[in-house]
């Protein structure tokens, strides 16, 4: 059963995962950005975890994600702040009024998060951003939805990892890395790398 408690645990699991990978994300950002992506993501999800842990048992799934969104935004000054805050807010809106989430709800939530990031940042596929992990993940989850939650989220996680890997062959045309142009080739986008971690953490906490 996926309820508010499970979503709180999901936020906590994302925070733990990002905390573990913080240095690697900063190193990736050091190559094509300003070396703060791991710090930004761990501050954001750390604040989100603390805030959702403080909610009482009357909080519903929408409240959990909206609380995470607000605290993420307040904690992060980098561009990932508004992008993930929008993702979490859209995810919250997509499950409004539901106390428990079915497979379709979880997939709709993931897709709303991806669309939120795209609406907010206006990046298209192939521009070497987190969108290159989020959009394929959202599509893959939708395609596998009839096979159940575990398969849908595995497909999403695999697609996110493949998408992050594929950013190595892309030239950045959005965000801070844009100024590097061709020199961004050969390096994985940090936001796509962290997106794959976030989506895998969601899979693990919602299906294991
Ligand atoms: P900043 O660039 O402000 O230091 P971060 O280091 O936290 O922010 O995040 C950088 C990541 O944000 C990039 O690797 C990229 O994936 C993502 N990003 C930047 N601009 C956009 C955008 N317009 N749309 C989607 N993702 C973006
Ligand atoms: Mg940065």
């Amino acid at each position: 059963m996926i309820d508010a408690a499970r979503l709180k645990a999901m936020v906590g699991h994302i925070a733990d995962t990002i905390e573990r990978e913080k240095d690697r994300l900063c190193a990736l950002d050091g190559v094509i950005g300003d070396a703060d992506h791991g710090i930004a993501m761990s501050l954001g999800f750390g604040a989100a975890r603390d805030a959702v842990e403080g909610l009482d048992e009357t909080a519903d799934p929408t409240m959990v994600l909206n609380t995470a969104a607000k605290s993420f935004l307040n904690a992060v000054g980098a561009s990932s702040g508004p992008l993930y805050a929008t993702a979490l807010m859209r995810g919250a809106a997509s499950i409004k009024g539901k106390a428990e989430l079915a497979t379709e709800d979880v997939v709709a939530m993931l897709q709303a998060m991806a669309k939120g990031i795209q609406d907010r940042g206006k990046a298209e596929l192939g521009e070497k951003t987190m969108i290159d992990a989020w959009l394929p993940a959202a599509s893959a989850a939708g395609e596998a939805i009839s096979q159940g939650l575990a398969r849908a989220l595995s497909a999403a996680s695999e697609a996110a990892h493949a998408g992050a890997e594929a950013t190595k062959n892309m030239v950045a045309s959005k965000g801070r890395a844009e100024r590097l142009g061709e020199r961004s080739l050969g390096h994985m986008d940090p936001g796509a790398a962290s997106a794959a971690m976030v989506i895998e953490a969601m899979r693990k906490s919602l299906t294991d």
Side-chain angles (χ1 to χ4, degrees), residues 1-200:
M1 184 186 66
I2 295 173
D3 57 4
R6 205 74 189 275
L7 290 186
K8 286 186 197 177
M10 178 188 87
V11 172
H13 189 62
I14 297 171
D16 293 344
T17 303
I18 293 293
E19 187 60 38
R20 266 199 313 276
E21 302 281 356
K22 183 162 93 175
D23 293 347
R24 195 190 140 215
L25 293 173
C26 282
L28 287 173
D29 198 28
V31 180
I32 65 168
D34 59 353
D36 69 346
H37 187 61
I39 294 165
M41 291 293 287
S42 82
L43 278 175
F45 276 108
R49 173 186 47 205
D50 294 348
V52 303
E53 274 175 3
L55 289 169
D56 66 26
E57 54 288 346
T58 63
D60 69 355
T62 288
M63 168 85 93
V64 171
L65 293 190
N66 270 332
T67 301
K70 210 178 292 170
S71 44
F72 198 107
L73 188 64
N74 289 336
V76 178
S79 42
S80 44
L83 293 167
Y84 270 96
T86 306
L88 290 162
M89 235 148 46
R90 295 288 189 86
S94 75
I95 54 175
K96 199 166 171 53
K98 298 191 166 149
E100 287 177 21
L101 308 185
T103 297
E104 302 77 61
D105 302 320
V106 174
V107 170
M109 176 181 89
L110 190 84
Q111 292 177 332
M113 291 175 76
K115 182 157 191 310
I117 293 169
Q118 192 171 35
D119 288 348
R120 178 74 206 190
K122 308 273 183 260
E124 299 293 338
L125 278 176
E127 291 191 303
K128 200 180 182 92
T129 72
M130 61 176 77
I131 276 298
D132 292 303
W134 273 101
L135 282 192
S139 308
E143 280 159 26
I145 197 168
S146 64
Q147 297 166 47
L149 185 63
R151 295 291 290 271
L153 291 184
S154 296
S157 181
E158 279 164 29
H161 280 91
E165 198 58 39
T167 63
K168 288 181 181 168
N169 302 316
M170 294 174 190
V171 174
S173 57
K174 275 278 183 313
R176 218 176 274 281
E178 184 186 352
R179 71 199 152 78
L180 290 179
E182 296 279 334
R183 282 183 292 142
S184 66
L185 263 178
H187 309 290
M188 187 183 290
D189 175 65
S194 65
M197 294 168 190
V198 168
I199 292 164
E200 168 58 17

